[in-house]
Amino acid sequence: MEGTMTERIQVNGLPAEASFTAGGDLRWRVDGGAGRGEQSLAVESSVLGFKAEGRVITVRAFVSQLKGPFCGVGNLGNRVMKNFVLEMPTEVVAKMWSERLRKYIDSLGRPKRIFIFLNPYGGKKSARKIFHTEIRPLLLAANIIYTLQETEYQLHAQELAYKLDFLNYDGIVCVSGDGVLVEVVNGLLQREDWDTAIKVPLGIIPAGTGNGLAKSILDAAGENYSIQNATFAVIRGHKRALDVTTVLQGNTKFFSILMLSWGMQKRTEEKYCILRVMKLRKYHGNIEYVPAPGHESFGKPKNERAAIAGNIEISKQGRDGDVDVLHGYRGPNCCFDDSVWRFLEGPFISIMLVNVPWVGKDAMPAPEAKFSDGFLDLVLIKDCSKSALASILLKTGNGSHVKSPYVMYLKVKAFRLVPGNRVGDSAKGGIVDVDGEVVARGEGVYMCGQERDPMSYGPPILLTVDKGLATVFSSR
């Protein structure tokens, strides 16, 4: 291991004793002036990149705004870009330091070339501005080469991901809401080389309506939710596995990374909460599931072998006879022959199956959800008073709603939903939503401009989880 380098230099015009440690810490003590005292930059967690010209090395950092002897250690506040100009005594010394810096940064495995999908129509339609004012400066400072592709219509990202030559890139990044990343995952898993394609690290920088995955990634690392922090997570290049859920009905199949909801949808706005409480809706239906270890006490055992065999047959049908995915990923290679299924009968107010803790920047329905535990978190409200429901809805912003006696919260390995019609109005059904997109709706539910749903409302919908199938960029 290379030892510590020490040199008398100038930092931002002030004379200083500087060192660069084998562990990647850049330290200096200024002799006098406004910058007196010891300062430090941890290259891995605070440095974007650097530029060397002659005797001068300009270190581009992303550091906390809070004052102190150390620059950008931990999550002390909002970060800003800041340059530190190191003037070496000779060009030979400058070359030695720049080579050591470059070698250390290269050892971190950061991405050097990325493909970026940008959705200009999502959210407040400000993704272009966000990219050029907040994201691009950080990428340039980190010396990252990127290819930018704007999406032009729904499923455009899926089509492009299906054909993309991903070997030219160290990652695929979506400047969008969660929907575009879901499209990318589906496109990669439809390829013949899906098993290689899905290993490409995926990044998400929030610029849409639903930003649950970005919030979950940053929150898990103890980072503030922001566009710049999400960008820096991509730059740092740490990776973590992410479960992928196969959503199956007959021969129709697609892949989810965030959530499925039926009944009351995922929103925390006060006006929405009041409206849904005042016009409380319940739905007939039933669910069956394979509970995770330690969660077997919920529901009732499903002893009828025929019903369980029916579930297994659905799974086999999707794997062996899928007409929508001819050459791609067929779903997790799992068998439930020996699994103990449990069931619950409706009516239900709300059912959610969640893969990560947050489904939006202000909604955390599943505080115990893990990125790659191989389970979905089931959050279920069967019945409660209007006042209790109001309290539950308003507490989803911090996850404390799961402590309510009216909320059933458990982990499942497989799940089967049979959605029914509304209690008190059998002519109207509900909505099944996956990752922010409606996949099935019952009779009497209309949405302007909506094309035919990919699934039918009423027949069973099966969810199975493939543990850690995908990979996402993470702050740590």
Short mmCIF file of all heavy atoms in Angstrom, two decimals, residues 384-442:
data_model
loop_
_atom_site.label_atom_id
_atom_site.label_comp_id
_atom_site.label_asym_id
_atom_site.label_seq_id
_atom_site.Cartn_x
_atom_site.Cartn_y
_atom_site.Cartn_z
N CYS A 384 -62.13 0.13 9.38
CA CYS A 384 -61.88 1.05 10.48
C CYS A 384 -62.87 2.21 10.37
O CYS A 384 -63.52 2.41 9.35
CB CYS A 384 -60.45 1.56 10.48
SG CYS A 384 -60.00 2.59 9.08
N SER A 385 -62.96 3.01 11.43
CA SER A 385 -63.83 4.18 11.41
C SER A 385 -63.22 5.27 10.54
O SER A 385 -62.04 5.24 10.20
CB SER A 385 -64.00 4.70 12.84
OG SER A 385 -62.76 5.19 13.34
N LYS A 386 -64.02 6.25 10.21
CA LYS A 386 -63.53 7.36 9.40
C LYS A 386 -62.46 8.17 10.13
O LYS A 386 -61.48 8.61 9.52
CB LYS A 386 -64.69 8.27 8.99
CG LYS A 386 -65.64 7.64 7.98
CD LYS A 386 -66.70 8.62 7.52
CE LYS A 386 -67.59 8.00 6.44
NZ LYS A 386 -68.61 8.95 5.94
N SER A 387 -62.63 8.37 11.42
CA SER A 387 -61.64 9.13 12.17
C SER A 387 -60.31 8.38 12.24
O SER A 387 -59.23 8.97 12.11
CB SER A 387 -62.15 9.42 13.58
OG SER A 387 -62.42 8.22 14.30
N ALA A 388 -60.37 7.06 12.41
CA ALA A 388 -59.15 6.26 12.44
C ALA A 388 -58.46 6.26 11.08
O ALA A 388 -57.23 6.34 10.98
CB ALA A 388 -59.47 4.84 12.87
N LEU A 389 -59.26 6.20 10.02
CA LEU A 389 -58.70 6.22 8.68
C LEU A 389 -57.99 7.54 8.40
O LEU A 389 -56.90 7.57 7.80
CB LEU A 389 -59.79 5.97 7.64
CG LEU A 389 -59.34 5.98 6.18
CD1 LEU A 389 -58.30 4.90 5.93
CD2 LEU A 389 -60.54 5.79 5.25
N ALA A 390 -58.60 8.64 8.83
CA ALA A 390 -57.96 9.95 8.63
C ALA A 390 -56.60 10.00 9.31
O ALA A 390 -55.62 10.49 8.76
CB ALA A 390 -58.87 11.06 9.17
N SER A 391 -56.54 9.48 10.51
CA SER A 391 -55.28 9.45 11.25
C SER A 391 -54.25 8.59 10.53
O SER A 391 -53.07 8.97 10.42
CB SER A 391 -55.51 8.93 12.66
OG SER A 391 -54.31 8.82 13.36
N ILE A 392 -54.67 7.44 10.03
CA ILE A 392 -53.77 6.54 9.32
C ILE A 392 -53.19 7.22 8.08
O ILE A 392 -51.98 7.18 7.83
CB ILE A 392 -54.50 5.24 8.92
CG1 ILE A 392 -54.80 4.42 10.17
CG2 ILE A 392 -53.68 4.43 7.92
CD1 ILE A 392 -55.75 3.26 9.91
N LEU A 393 -54.05 7.85 7.29
CA LEU A 393 -53.60 8.49 6.05
C LEU A 393 -52.59 9.60 6.32
O LEU A 393 -51.59 9.73 5.61
CB LEU A 393 -54.80 9.05 5.29
CG LEU A 393 -55.79 8.01 4.74
CD1 LEU A 393 -56.96 8.71 4.08
CD2 LEU A 393 -55.10 7.08 3.75
N LEU A 394 -52.84 10.39 7.34
CA LEU A 394 -51.95 11.51 7.62
C LEU A 394 -50.62 11.07 8.21
O LEU A 394 -49.64 11.81 8.17
CB LEU A 394 -52.65 12.50 8.56
CG LEU A 394 -53.87 13.22 7.97
CD1 LEU A 394 -54.57 14.04 9.04
CD2 LEU A 394 -53.46 14.10 6.79
N LYS A 395 -50.56 9.85 8.74
CA LYS A 395 -49.32 9.36 9.34
C LYS A 395 -48.45 8.59 8.36
O LYS A 395 -47.34 8.17 8.71
CB LYS A 395 -49.64 8.47 10.55
CG LYS A 395 -50.17 9.25 11.75
CD LYS A 395 -50.50 8.33 12.91
CE LYS A 395 -51.00 9.12 14.12
NZ LYS A 395 -51.36 8.24 15.26
N THR A 396 -48.92 8.40 7.13
CA THR A 396 -48.09 7.69 6.16
C THR A 396 -46.85 8.49 5.77
O THR A 396 -45.92 7.94 5.20
CB THR A 396 -48.89 7.36 4.89
OG1 THR A 396 -49.43 8.56 4.33
CG2 THR A 396 -50.00 6.37 5.18
N GLY A 397 -46.84 9.77 6.12
CA GLY A 397 -45.67 10.59 5.79
C GLY A 397 -44.44 10.21 6.59
O GLY A 397 -43.31 10.47 6.15
N ASN A 398 -44.63 9.59 7.76
CA ASN A 398 -43.46 9.19 8.56
C ASN A 398 -43.46 7.70 8.91
O ASN A 398 -42.59 7.24 9.65
CB ASN A 398 -43.37 10.02 9.84
CG ASN A 398 -44.60 9.87 10.73
OD1 ASN A 398 -45.37 8.92 10.61
ND2 ASN A 398 -44.79 10.82 11.63
N GLY A 399 -44.41 6.95 8.39
CA GLY A 399 -44.44 5.51 8.60
C GLY A 399 -45.07 5.06 9.90
O GLY A 399 -45.17 3.85 10.15
N SER A 400 -45.52 5.99 10.73
CA SER A 400 -46.07 5.60 12.02
C SER A 400 -47.46 5.01 11.91
O SER A 400 -48.00 4.47 12.89
CB SER A 400 -46.08 6.81 12.96
OG SER A 400 -46.91 7.84 12.47
N HIS A 401 -48.07 5.07 10.73
CA HIS A 401 -49.42 4.51 10.54
C HIS A 401 -49.44 3.00 10.78
O HIS A 401 -50.48 2.43 11.10
CB HIS A 401 -49.91 4.81 9.13
CG HIS A 401 -49.08 4.16 8.06
ND1 HIS A 401 -47.80 4.56 7.78
CD2 HIS A 401 -49.35 3.12 7.24
CE1 HIS A 401 -47.32 3.81 6.81
NE2 HIS A 401 -48.23 2.93 6.47
N VAL A 402 -48.29 2.32 10.61
CA VAL A 402 -48.28 0.87 10.74
C VAL A 402 -48.48 0.44 12.20
O VAL A 402 -48.74 -0.74 12.47
CB VAL A 402 -46.96 0.27 10.19
CG1 VAL A 402 -46.82 0.57 8.71
CG2 VAL A 402 -45.75 0.77 10.97
N LYS A 403 -48.40 1.37 13.14
CA LYS A 403 -48.65 1.05 14.54
C LYS A 403 -50.13 1.03 14.88
O LYS A 403 -50.52 0.61 15.97
CB LYS A 403 -47.94 2.07 15.44
CG LYS A 403 -46.42 2.09 15.28
CD LYS A 403 -45.78 3.16 16.15
CE LYS A 403 -44.27 3.21 15.95
NZ LYS A 403 -43.65 4.28 16.77
N SER A 404 -50.96 1.49 13.94
CA SER A 404 -52.40 1.50 14.17
C SER A 404 -52.93 0.08 14.28
O SER A 404 -52.53 -0.81 13.51
CB SER A 404 -53.12 2.22 13.04
OG SER A 404 -54.51 2.02 13.12
N PRO A 405 -53.85 -0.18 15.20
CA PRO A 405 -54.44 -1.53 15.30
C PRO A 405 -55.28 -1.90 14.09
O PRO A 405 -55.62 -3.07 13.91
CB PRO A 405 -55.31 -1.44 16.56
CG PRO A 405 -55.59 0.02 16.73
CD PRO A 405 -54.38 0.74 16.22
N TYR A 406 -55.60 -0.92 13.25
CA TYR A 406 -56.40 -1.18 12.06
C TYR A 406 -55.54 -1.52 10.84
O TYR A 406 -56.08 -1.85 9.78
CB TYR A 406 -57.27 0.03 11.73
CG TYR A 406 -58.21 0.40 12.86
CD1 TYR A 406 -57.93 1.49 13.68
CD2 TYR A 406 -59.36 -0.34 13.11
CE1 TYR A 406 -58.78 1.84 14.73
CE2 TYR A 406 -60.21 -0.01 14.14
CZ TYR A 406 -59.92 1.09 14.95
OH TYR A 406 -60.77 1.42 15.99
N VAL A 407 -54.23 -1.41 10.97
CA VAL A 407 -53.32 -1.69 9.85
C VAL A 407 -52.65 -3.04 10.06
O VAL A 407 -52.04 -3.29 11.10
CB VAL A 407 -52.25 -0.59 9.72
CG1 VAL A 407 -51.23 -0.95 8.63
CG2 VAL A 407 -52.90 0.75 9.41
N MET A 408 -52.79 -3.92 9.09
CA MET A 408 -52.08 -5.20 9.10
C MET A 408 -50.80 -5.02 8.29
O MET A 408 -50.86 -4.59 7.12
CB MET A 408 -52.95 -6.30 8.49
CG MET A 408 -52.30 -7.67 8.52
SD MET A 408 -53.32 -8.94 7.71
CE MET A 408 -54.73 -8.95 8.80
N TYR A 409 -49.66 -5.32 8.88
CA TYR A 409 -48.37 -5.08 8.23
C TYR A 409 -47.50 -6.33 8.36
O TYR A 409 -47.16 -6.74 9.47
CB TYR A 409 -47.69 -3.88 8.88
CG TYR A 409 -46.38 -3.46 8.23
CD1 TYR A 409 -46.22 -3.48 6.85
CD2 TYR A 409 -45.31 -3.03 9.01
CE1 TYR A 409 -45.04 -3.10 6.27
CE2 TYR A 409 -44.11 -2.62 8.43
CZ TYR A 409 -43.98 -2.66 7.06
OH TYR A 409 -42.79 -2.28 6.47
N LEU A 410 -47.17 -6.95 7.23
CA LEU A 410 -46.37 -8.17 7.24
C LEU A 410 -45.60 -8.31 5.94
O LEU A 410 -45.83 -7.54 4.99
CB LEU A 410 -47.26 -9.40 7.44
CG LEU A 410 -48.23 -9.76 6.31
CD1 LEU A 410 -48.48 -11.27 6.31
CD2 LEU A 410 -49.56 -9.02 6.47
N LYS A 411 -44.69 -9.28 5.91
CA LYS A 411 -43.90 -9.54 4.72
C LYS A 411 -44.36 -10.84 4.07
O LYS A 411 -44.67 -11.82 4.77
CB LYS A 411 -42.40 -9.62 5.06
CG LYS A 411 -41.80 -8.27 5.45
CD LYS A 411 -40.33 -8.41 5.79
CE LYS A 411 -39.74 -7.05 6.16
NZ LYS A 411 -39.58 -6.18 4.98
N VAL A 412 -44.37 -10.87 2.73
CA VAL A 412 -44.82 -12.05 2.00
C VAL A 412 -43.83 -12.40 0.89
O VAL A 412 -43.13 -11.54 0.36
CB VAL A 412 -46.23 -11.83 1.40
CG1 VAL A 412 -47.25 -11.53 2.49
CG2 VAL A 412 -46.22 -10.70 0.37
N LYS A 413 -43.78 -13.69 0.55
CA LYS A 413 -42.92 -14.18 -0.53
C LYS A 413 -43.67 -14.25 -1.86
O LYS A 413 -43.07 -14.15 -2.93
CB LYS A 413 -42.36 -15.55 -0.17
CG LYS A 413 -41.40 -15.54 1.00
CD LYS A 413 -40.66 -16.86 1.13
CE LYS A 413 -41.59 -17.99 1.56
NZ LYS A 413 -40.84 -19.25 1.79
N ALA A 414 -44.97 -14.50 -1.79
CA ALA A 414 -45.81 -14.56 -2.99
C ALA A 414 -47.19 -14.07 -2.59
O ALA A 414 -47.60 -14.17 -1.43
CB ALA A 414 -45.87 -15.99 -3.54
N PHE A 415 -47.92 -13.55 -3.57
CA PHE A 415 -49.21 -12.91 -3.26
C PHE A 415 -50.15 -13.08 -4.44
O PHE A 415 -49.74 -12.96 -5.61
CB PHE A 415 -48.98 -11.42 -2.97
CG PHE A 415 -50.21 -10.68 -2.53
CD1 PHE A 415 -50.57 -10.62 -1.20
CD2 PHE A 415 -51.01 -10.01 -3.46
CE1 PHE A 415 -51.69 -9.92 -0.79
CE2 PHE A 415 -52.14 -9.32 -3.07
CZ PHE A 415 -52.47 -9.27 -1.72
N ARG A 416 -51.40 -13.35 -4.12
CA ARG A 416 -52.43 -13.51 -5.14
C ARG A 416 -53.62 -12.64 -4.78
O ARG A 416 -54.19 -12.76 -3.70
CB ARG A 416 -52.85 -14.97 -5.23
CG ARG A 416 -53.94 -15.29 -6.26
CD ARG A 416 -54.20 -16.81 -6.24
NE ARG A 416 -55.17 -17.22 -7.24
CZ ARG A 416 -56.46 -17.41 -7.00
NH1 ARG A 416 -56.93 -17.18 -5.77
NH2 ARG A 416 -57.27 -17.81 -7.95
N LEU A 417 -53.98 -11.74 -5.70
CA LEU A 417 -55.09 -10.80 -5.49
C LEU A 417 -56.24 -11.14 -6.42
O LEU A 417 -56.05 -11.29 -7.63
CB LEU A 417 -54.61 -9.37 -5.74
CG LEU A 417 -55.70 -8.28 -5.84
CD1 LEU A 417 -56.37 -8.08 -4.49
CD2 LEU A 417 -55.11 -6.97 -6.36
N VAL A 418 -57.43 -11.24 -5.84
CA VAL A 418 -58.66 -11.35 -6.64
C VAL A 418 -59.51 -10.14 -6.29
O VAL A 418 -60.23 -10.13 -5.28
CB VAL A 418 -59.42 -12.66 -6.34
CG1 VAL A 418 -60.68 -12.73 -7.20
CG2 VAL A 418 -58.53 -13.86 -6.60
N PRO A 419 -59.44 -9.07 -7.08
CA PRO A 419 -60.17 -7.85 -6.75
C PRO A 419 -61.64 -7.94 -7.09
O PRO A 419 -62.02 -8.51 -8.12
CB PRO A 419 -59.47 -6.79 -7.62
CG PRO A 419 -58.99 -7.56 -8.81
CD PRO A 419 -58.64 -8.93 -8.31
N GLY A 420 -62.47 -7.40 -6.21
CA GLY A 420 -63.91 -7.42 -6.44
C GLY A 420 -64.49 -6.02 -6.57
O GLY A 420 -63.76 -5.02 -6.56
N ASN A 421 -65.80 -5.95 -6.64
CA ASN A 421 -66.48 -4.67 -6.83
C ASN A 421 -66.74 -3.97 -5.51
O ASN A 421 -66.53 -4.52 -4.42
CB ASN A 421 -67.80 -4.87 -7.58
CG ASN A 421 -67.56 -5.16 -9.05
OD1 ASN A 421 -66.46 -4.92 -9.57
ND2 ASN A 421 -68.57 -5.68 -9.73
N ARG A 422 -67.20 -2.75 -5.61
CA ARG A 422 -67.38 -1.89 -4.45
C ARG A 422 -68.54 -2.37 -3.57
O ARG A 422 -69.58 -2.79 -4.07
CB ARG A 422 -67.63 -0.46 -4.92
CG ARG A 422 -67.54 0.59 -3.82
CD ARG A 422 -67.89 1.97 -4.37
NE ARG A 422 -67.06 2.35 -5.51
CZ ARG A 422 -67.24 3.48 -6.19
NH1 ARG A 422 -68.23 4.31 -5.86
NH2 ARG A 422 -66.45 3.76 -7.22
N VAL A 423 -68.32 -2.31 -2.28
CA VAL A 423 -69.38 -2.64 -1.33
C VAL A 423 -70.48 -1.59 -1.43
O VAL A 423 -70.22 -0.38 -1.38
CB VAL A 423 -68.83 -2.70 0.10
CG1 VAL A 423 -69.97 -2.90 1.11
CG2 VAL A 423 -67.80 -3.80 0.24
N GLY A 424 -71.72 -2.03 -1.60
CA GLY A 424 -72.84 -1.10 -1.71
C GLY A 424 -73.12 -0.62 -3.11
O GLY A 424 -74.11 0.06 -3.35
N ASP A 425 -72.25 -0.97 -4.07
CA ASP A 425 -72.46 -0.58 -5.46
C ASP A 425 -71.78 -1.63 -6.34
O ASP A 425 -70.65 -1.44 -6.80
CB ASP A 425 -71.89 0.81 -5.73
CG ASP A 425 -72.32 1.35 -7.09
OD1 ASP A 425 -72.84 0.56 -7.91
OD2 ASP A 425 -72.13 2.56 -7.34
N SER A 426 -72.46 -2.73 -6.55
CA SER A 426 -71.86 -3.87 -7.26
C SER A 426 -71.59 -3.59 -8.73
O SER A 426 -70.93 -4.39 -9.40
CB SER A 426 -72.78 -5.08 -7.14
OG SER A 426 -74.06 -4.80 -7.69
N ALA A 427 -72.07 -2.45 -9.24
CA ALA A 427 -71.83 -2.10 -10.64
C ALA A 427 -70.49 -1.42 -10.85
O ALA A 427 -70.09 -1.18 -11.99
CB ALA A 427 -72.95 -1.20 -11.15
N LYS A 428 -69.78 -1.09 -9.75
CA LYS A 428 -68.52 -0.37 -9.87
C LYS A 428 -67.39 -1.17 -9.21
O LYS A 428 -67.55 -1.72 -8.14
CB LYS A 428 -68.62 1.01 -9.23
CG LYS A 428 -69.54 1.95 -9.98
CD LYS A 428 -69.52 3.35 -9.39
CE LYS A 428 -70.42 4.29 -10.19
NZ LYS A 428 -70.41 5.66 -9.64
N GLY A 429 -66.27 -1.18 -9.91
CA GLY A 429 -65.10 -1.87 -9.40
C GLY A 429 -64.08 -0.88 -8.85
O GLY A 429 -64.40 0.27 -8.55
N GLY A 430 -62.86 -1.33 -8.73
CA GLY A 430 -61.78 -0.49 -8.21
C GLY A 430 -60.67 -0.37 -9.23
O GLY A 430 -60.83 -0.68 -10.42
N ILE A 431 -59.51 0.07 -8.75
CA ILE A 431 -58.35 0.28 -9.60
C ILE A 431 -57.17 -0.50 -9.03
O ILE A 431 -56.90 -0.43 -7.83
CB ILE A 431 -57.99 1.78 -9.71
CG1 ILE A 431 -59.06 2.53 -10.50
CG2 ILE A 431 -56.62 1.97 -10.35
CD1 ILE A 431 -58.85 4.04 -10.54
N VAL A 432 -56.47 -1.23 -9.89
CA VAL A 432 -55.21 -1.87 -9.52
C VAL A 432 -54.09 -1.08 -10.17
O VAL A 432 -54.06 -0.91 -11.40
CB VAL A 432 -55.16 -3.34 -9.98
CG1 VAL A 432 -53.83 -3.98 -9.58
CG2 VAL A 432 -56.33 -4.12 -9.39
N ASP A 433 -53.18 -0.59 -9.35
CA ASP A 433 -52.09 0.27 -9.80
C ASP A 433 -50.76 -0.42 -9.52
O ASP A 433 -50.54 -0.96 -8.44
CB ASP A 433 -52.16 1.61 -9.05
CG ASP A 433 -51.02 2.55 -9.38
OD1 ASP A 433 -49.88 2.28 -8.98
OD2 ASP A 433 -51.27 3.59 -10.00
N VAL A 434 -49.86 -0.41 -10.49
CA VAL A 434 -48.52 -0.96 -10.32
C VAL A 434 -47.50 0.11 -10.69
O VAL A 434 -47.49 0.60 -11.83
CB VAL A 434 -48.30 -2.22 -11.17
CG1 VAL A 434 -46.85 -2.70 -11.05
CG2 VAL A 434 -49.25 -3.33 -10.73
N ASP A 435 -46.68 0.50 -9.74
CA ASP A 435 -45.61 1.48 -9.97
C ASP A 435 -46.13 2.78 -10.60
O ASP A 435 -45.49 3.37 -11.46
CB ASP A 435 -44.50 0.89 -10.85
CG ASP A 435 -43.75 -0.23 -10.14
OD1 ASP A 435 -43.94 -0.40 -8.92
OD2 ASP A 435 -42.96 -0.92 -10.80
N GLY A 436 -47.32 3.19 -10.15
CA GLY A 436 -47.85 4.46 -10.61
C GLY A 436 -48.66 4.39 -11.89
O GLY A 436 -49.16 5.43 -12.35
N GLU A 437 -48.84 3.21 -12.46
CA GLU A 437 -49.61 3.06 -13.69
C GLU A 437 -50.80 2.13 -13.43
O GLU A 437 -50.65 1.09 -12.79
CB GLU A 437 -48.75 2.49 -14.81
CG GLU A 437 -47.56 3.35 -15.19
CD GLU A 437 -47.96 4.68 -15.82
OE1 GLU A 437 -49.07 4.74 -16.41
OE2 GLU A 437 -47.17 5.64 -15.74
N VAL A 438 -51.96 2.51 -13.94
CA VAL A 438 -53.15 1.68 -13.81
C VAL A 438 -52.99 0.46 -14.72
O VAL A 438 -52.77 0.59 -15.93
CB VAL A 438 -54.42 2.46 -14.19
CG1 VAL A 438 -55.64 1.54 -14.17
CG2 VAL A 438 -54.62 3.63 -13.24
N VAL A 439 -53.13 -0.74 -14.15
CA VAL A 439 -53.03 -1.97 -14.95
C VAL A 439 -54.37 -2.66 -15.10
O VAL A 439 -54.54 -3.49 -16.00
CB VAL A 439 -52.00 -2.94 -14.34
CG1 VAL A 439 -50.62 -2.30 -14.29
CG2 VAL A 439 -52.42 -3.41 -12.96
N ALA A 440 -55.32 -2.34 -14.23
CA ALA A 440 -56.66 -2.94 -14.34
C ALA A 440 -57.65 -2.06 -13.61
O ALA A 440 -57.34 -1.47 -12.58
CB ALA A 440 -56.67 -4.35 -13.76
N ARG A 441 -58.86 -1.96 -14.15
CA ARG A 441 -59.92 -1.20 -13.49
C ARG A 441 -61.25 -1.89 -13.72
O ARG A 441 -61.47 -2.52 -14.76
CB ARG A 441 -59.97 0.24 -14.00
CG ARG A 441 -60.64 0.41 -15.34
CD ARG A 441 -60.35 1.76 -15.94
NE ARG A 441 -58.94 1.83 -16.33
CZ ARG A 441 -58.25 2.97 -16.36
NH1 ARG A 441 -58.83 4.09 -16.01
NH2 ARG A 441 -57.00 2.97 -16.75
N GLY A 442 -62.11 -1.80 -12.70
CA GLY A 442 -63.40 -2.46 -12.78
C GLY A 442 -64.41 -1.68 -13.58
O GLY A 442 -64.15 -0.55 -14.05
#
